[in-house]
């Protein structure tokens, strides 16, 4: 069963998720940012959560946590837009990297020092102007 726990401390550089350095079969224990989370059901009725994680360079990677209880499925959705500690294994599926999270302690809230700007990335002035122009049309 997944539980919410908080971790403290300042991560060193090697503890931050970096998708440029991952490889198939690699065990991960690192800090990431949850962009979003959705809960779905398999064809046989098992529940799983899909997380869109951002790494320390604002790159996105998919992570999945399988066989969730109803309570754990509800809890997993509370991780959206928060820093988390993840435990899992990297896999290549259809030519794309993803992370299979450990069912027992695959994701937990992280409450230590966290550099949101690195994980979220910056937005260019041109991008902001495009939204502003679109809103005024």
């Amino acid at each position: 069963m997944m539980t919410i726990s908080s971790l403290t401390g300042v991560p060193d550089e090697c503890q931050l998720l970096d998708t440029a350095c991952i490889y198939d079969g690699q065990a991960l224990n690192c800090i990431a940012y949850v962009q979003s989370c959705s809960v779905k059901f398999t064809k046989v009725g098992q529940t799983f959560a899909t997380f869109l994680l951002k790494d320390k360079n604002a790159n996105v990677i998919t992570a999945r946590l399988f066989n969730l209880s109803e309570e754990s499925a509800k809890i997993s959705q509370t991780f959206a837009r928060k820093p988390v500690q993840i435990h899992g294994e990297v896999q290549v599926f259809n030519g794309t990297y993803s992370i299979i999270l450990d069912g027992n302690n695959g994701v937990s809230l992280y409450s230590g020092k966290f550099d949101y700007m690195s994980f979220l990335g910056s937005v260019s002035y041109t991008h902001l102007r495009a939204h502003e122009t679109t809103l005024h049309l």
Side-chain angles (χ1 to χ4, degrees):
M1 178 174 153
M2 179 178 67
T3 59
I4 292 181
S5 61
S6 293
L7 302 168
T8 58
V10 180
D12 61 29
E13 200 63 20
C14 68
Q15 291 179 306
L16 302 176
L17 179 61
D18 185 355
T19 58
C21 299
I22 62 174
Y23 55 87
D24 192 23
Q26 178 184 11
L28 291 177
N29 177 12
C30 55
I31 309 300
Y33 177 82
V34 178
Q35 180 176 335
S36 65
C37 175
S38 62
V39 175
K40 298 181 181 176
F41 299 93
T42 65
K43 292 179 182 178
V44 294
Q46 293 180 330
T47 308
F48 68 97
T50 300
F51 298 89
L52 292 183
L53 301 178
K54 285 198 161 192
D55 75 354
K56 69 178 189 171
N57 299 309
N59 298 310
V60 177
I61 187 169
T62 301
R64 290 190 176 82
L65 184 61
F66 292 96
N67 301 323
L68 295 176
S69 67
E70 186 176 328
E71 179 184 345
S72 293
K74 289 178 185 176
I75 290 171
S76 68
Q77 293 179 331
T78 67
F79 294 132
R81 296 176 307 282
K82 295 180 182 161
V84 293
Q85 172 113 14
I86 61 167
H87 303 271
E89 184 175 318
V90 177
Q91 73 167 11
V92 176
F93 181 73
N94 288 337
T96 303
Y97 284 109
S98 63
I99 302 169
I100 301 301
L101 297 169
D102 179 13
N104 296 320
N105 61 349
V107 61
S108 55
L109 290 176
Y110 177 75
S111 61
K113 186 176 179 181
F114 187 77
D115 179 12
Y116 282 89
M117 290 308 295
S118 293
F119 284 80
L120 296 177
S122 61
V123 177
S124 71
Y125 177 76
T126 305
H127 181 86
L128 291 174
R129 291 292 297 169
H131 281 285
E132 185 178 277
T133 304
T134 304
L135 291 173
H136 289 41
L137 294 178

